[in-house]
Amino acid sequence: MSDAPATAAPAHTPAIELRGLTKRFGRTLALDNVDLVVRPGAIFGFLGRNGAGKTTALRLLSGLARPTAGVAYVLGHDVSHATDAVRSRIGFLPDVPGFYEWMTAREYLDFVGRLFGLDRATREARATALLEMAGLGLVTARVGGFSRGMKQRLGIAQALINAPSLLMLDEPTSALDPIGRREVLEMVASLRGRTTVFFSTHILADVERVCDAVAILERGRVVANAGIAELTTRAASNRLTVEVDGDGAAAAIAASLGTRPWLRSIETDERTIRLTVSNLPAAQREIPAAITDAGAALRRFEIDEASLEDVFVELVGGPAR
Amino acid sequence: MNGFSAFLRKELTEIRRTWRLWVIPGMLVFFGLTSPLIAALTPALVESMAASQPGVVIQLPPPSALDAYAQFIKNLDQFVLIAVVITGAGVVSGERTTGTAILALTKPLSRGAFVVAKIIAQIALLVAATLLGTIVCVAMTAVVFDGGNVARLVTAVALWLLYASLLVVVMTLCSAAFRSRGAAAGAGLGFYFLTLLLSSWGPAARYGFVGLWPALRDALMGEPLAVAWPIATALVAIVLGVTGAVWIFERQEL
């Protein structure tokens, strides 16, 4: 890692690397010793409920705030000493973007293009393409008259004007209607492999739809960090559904399983038993034996598919701060 | 200072396209038009008021172009400087609270360039507005009083402009330092009244920039000017103020 002016980072350099990143506001610990690596080209979801510390992390990554401890590297450079050369390679959209309301959308993109030092022809070409992408191509009104959704789409457009290597989006779909949300997610997905996208959200469906990997933040700490498939598989391997023949057999089997050390929770209805277990192989061995002992017949034994929502609820299901 | 020219261009366009174009230039043109008229009408008004009081006789010398210029400078000293304080209070804090600074400063725009561009744009507006107001005042005075010593007025206006530029810098510093526009305006008004008060204290007026206040009157009256120290200290204060504003803003978290 280097603090020297940025040049194109080697392909293996993480797009984002956080080492022990900590941010404290007075007595409140907003980020607590966060370690995280985002590989180049990934679409990375930064998931957490409101107040988990997502926006704080993005403010640190964009150089708007300084960490209390730890280091944040963006494209190989410590952002505490981020040079304009680093900023020239990132795109950033805050949760509530603020625009000069007297400008039109095209004027704003032109202004941002000038900040990046783009020549006139490039500015005009990119502004036209991005306004079209954002559904603002025909809008000539000043930004002051825009709806929140229009501002959000303009925010995404301005974040892309420099064709960034890393795009950081804070809750990019929260103000959008379902169609706008789908368009933004499609746009994000279209950047896969070309641009690293790091976006924070509390909308699980968005993450499931476009992200390759996800980190779940809870009370300032990363409680999960893996690929989506890995996370859901890991959670799924803990949840079983067992269906048996025989009236009342489910309750008897549940009673006999109730003391097993690997059992975390169990629910039954007439013929179905739903279990969460801590040791799947042990459960796979012992449950059929318990069914036989109860004189019932096994109809179905299924390891459930988990959704990201199941994972999220399991990890952060406690009361909010 | 990367992004400086793009941001300065934005600032100047913003002045042209928003209310900022009308406040200070509007005031200066208004005072340029009305100062000669007020100077011409004041003796007649005072005498008519005195006439309604039995036994009171007030005789004023006939009004002159000098009275018109003095009235203009008095308006600059009071109303325009207070307008500078009020309009300057939100110059940085406004961008911070609306979130516009966040979007701009995550681009290749340094915080130093952000602050300096704002100061230059405000001073450019002030200089242009003062020039316009002074031309209007001189023209109106010529119509009402048949001429006057323009060189003295220009000298006084130039000294006023130096103090007003310092006030612009102080307001930018206050706006960078305080989260709220109201707190910045309060600090700016405190600075304005404190310098006004200090200007009547001999040593401060002789060696400090507060000496610009009495120098305005001396310039208009054609008295010998000893303004080397006030001018030098004002320039030093401007440089320190700009440096301080940048230093404060660079250390802030947005």
Side-chain angles (χ1 to χ4, degrees):
Chain A
M1 300 292 173
S2 150
D3 295 333
T7 51
H12 60 272
T13 303
I16 293 174
E17 184 173 1
L18 310 182
R19 288 190 200 158
L21 195 68
T22 301
K23 181 66 180 177
R24 188 179 280 282
F25 297 104
R27 296 172 66 181
T28 304
L29 191 57
L31 285 179
D32 184 7
N33 200 28
V34 171
D35 291 319
L36 189 68
V37 173
V38 177
R39 66 172 176 76
I43 299 180
F44 195 95
F46 200 45
L47 200 53
R49 56 184 164 190
N50 294 333
K54 306 184 298 292
T55 295
T56 300
L58 277 159
R59 287 174 63 234
L60 294 170
L61 284 169
S62 56
L64 294 168
R66 282 178 291 279
T68 307
V71 192
Y73 294 101
V74 168
L75 302 171
H77 294 261
D78 180 350
V79 289
S80 293
H81 309 99
T83 60
D84 287 343
V86 175
R87 285 200 286 263
S88 70
R89 296 178 55 215
I90 64 170
F92 177 66
L93 173 69
D95 52 347
V96 183
F99 300 100
Y100 300 110
E101 302 211 326
W102 51 272
M103 286 185 180
T104 64
R106 182 173 287 278
E107 285 171 341
Y108 191 81
L109 292 186
D110 186 70
F111 161 64
V112 173
R114 284 176 190 274
L115 287 177
F116 281 109
L118 303 179
D119 62 59
R120 184 176 177 169
T122 308
R123 289 199 310 271
E124 284 181 0
R126 287 190 186 171
T128 300
L130 289 168
L131 288 172
E132 194 62 38
M133 178 213 76
L136 299 170
L138 300 175
V139 178
T140 54
R142 292 182 180 187
V143 178
F146 279 19
S147 67
R148 191 160 173 219
M150 291 166 82
K151 286 183 181 176
Q152 199 77 359
R153 283 183 274 141
L154 175 59
I156 292 168
Q158 63 81 35
L160 289 168
I161 193 87
N162 58 325
S165 303
L166 170 63
L167 181 62
M168 297 191 287
L169 309 170
D170 193 3
E171 304 274 5
T173 57
S174 59
L176 300 176
D177 59 33
I179 293 170
R181 216 177 105 203
R182 188 175 66 189
E183 287 169 354
V184 167
L185 293 175
E186 283 171 0
M187 181 273 295
V188 168
S190 74
L191 297 170
R192 192 186 308 277
R194 290 184 288 136
T195 300
T196 310
V197 182
F198 182 83
F199 81 92
S200 78
T201 184
H202 60 267
I203 303 172
L204 299 160
D206 290 357
V207 174
E208 275 191 309
R209 195 158 165 176
V210 295
C211 289
D212 309 316
V214 63
I216 298 177
L217 195 68
E218 171 64 1
R219 302 183 187 196
R221 306 194 76 155
V222 172
V223 292
N225 177 13
I228 302 274
E230 186 189 336
L231 268 186
T232 51
T233 304
R234 198 190 299 165
S237 62
N238 293 334
R239 297 156 59 93
L240 302 171
T241 300
V242 177
E243 203 175 310
V244 293
D245 274 338
D247 291 340
I253 294 163
S256 76
L257 294 173
T259 56
R260 309 295 165 105
W262 43 261
L263 186 69
R264 288 168 61 185
S265 69
I266 188 164
E267 293 169 23
T268 61
D269 56 29
E270 200 173 327
R271 294 184 171 198
T272 308
I273 310 165
R274 292 186 186 81
L275 311 96
T276 308
V277 301
S278 58
N279 183 341
L280 183 64
Q284 285 174 306
R285 276 194 310 273
E286 295 178 32
I287 290 170
I291 293 169
T292 307
D293 291 347
L298 178 65
R299 275 180 70 90
R300 182 161 69 100
F301 187 101
E302 190 173 295
I303 300 171
D304 290 348
E305 275 187 22
S307 67
L308 188 59
E309 184 177 344
D310 296 322
V311 178
F312 186 79
V313 170
E314 189 179 325
L315 290 170
V316 304
R321 269 179 293 193
Chain B
M1 292 200 291
N2 292 318
F4 174 77
S5 60
F7 197 71
L8 178 61
R9 187 177 189 278
K10 188 282 290 182
E11 283 292 308
L12 295 173
T13 310
E14 186 168 6
I15 286 170
R16 190 167 54 81
R17 301 261 299 270
T18 63
W19 58 269
R20 290 170 66 189
L21 180 65
W22 302 105
V23 178
I24 288 177
M27 288 180 84
L28 276 148
V29 169
F30 176 77
F31 291 134
L33 284 170
T34 57
S35 294
L37 293 175
I38 290 171
L41 295 173
T42 298
L45 283 171
V46 171
E47 282 168 19
S48 73
M49 285 169 65
S52 64
Q53 302 290 320
V56 177
V57 177
I58 298 176
Q59 279 201 319
L60 293 173
S64 67
L66 184 62
D67 295 316
Y69 293 160
Q71 181 65 40
F72 182 63
I73 293 291
K74 196 163 79 179
N75 287 329
L76 298 189
D77 261 1
Q78 296 170 357
F79 301 110
V80 179
L81 289 183
I82 289 173
V84 167
V85 168
I86 292 168
T87 56
V91 72
V92 176
S93 62
E95 291 233 19
R96 208 165 32 207
T97 51
T98 57
T100 50
I102 286 180
L103 276 187
L105 291 167
T106 47
K107 311 289 185 290
L109 170 68
S110 70
R111 296 199 186 193
F114 182 93
V115 168
V116 172
K118 282 192 169 290
I119 289 172
I120 289 176
Q122 288 178 92
I123 290 177
L125 172 68
L126 194 63
V127 169
T130 305
L131 191 65
L132 184 64
T134 305
I135 290 169
V136 170
C137 179
V138 168
M140 196 67 183
T141 303
V143 170
V144 176
F145 293 108
D146 205 14
N149 192 329
V150 176
R152 289 185 193 176
L153 175 67
V154 169
T155 306
V157 166
L159 293 172
W160 176 84
L161 205 46
L162 182 60
Y163 179 80
S165 299
L166 172 60
L167 195 58
V168 164
V169 171
V170 168
M171 286 318 301
T172 307
L173 188 147
C174 291
S175 189
F178 295 103
R179 292 260 159 204
S180 107
R181 189 183 294 236
L189 285 173
F191 176 84
Y192 168 78
F193 286 114
L194 184 67
T195 53
L196 185 61
L197 202 65
L198 280 174
S199 67
S200 58
W201 182 41
R206 213 165 17 254
Y207 298 110
F209 59 79
V210 297
L212 293 172
W213 288 88
L216 300 181
R217 191 192 61 84
D218 293 345
L220 264 187
M221 302 305 291
E223 291 175 8
L225 286 175
V227 286
W229 276 103
I231 288 174
T233 50
L235 292 172
V236 169
I238 285 172
V239 171
L240 290 177
V242 172
T243 309
V246 171
W247 188 85
I248 287 169
F249 195 51
E250 279 180 342
R251 275 149 191 79
Q252 276 179 355
E253 297 197 345
L254 297 176

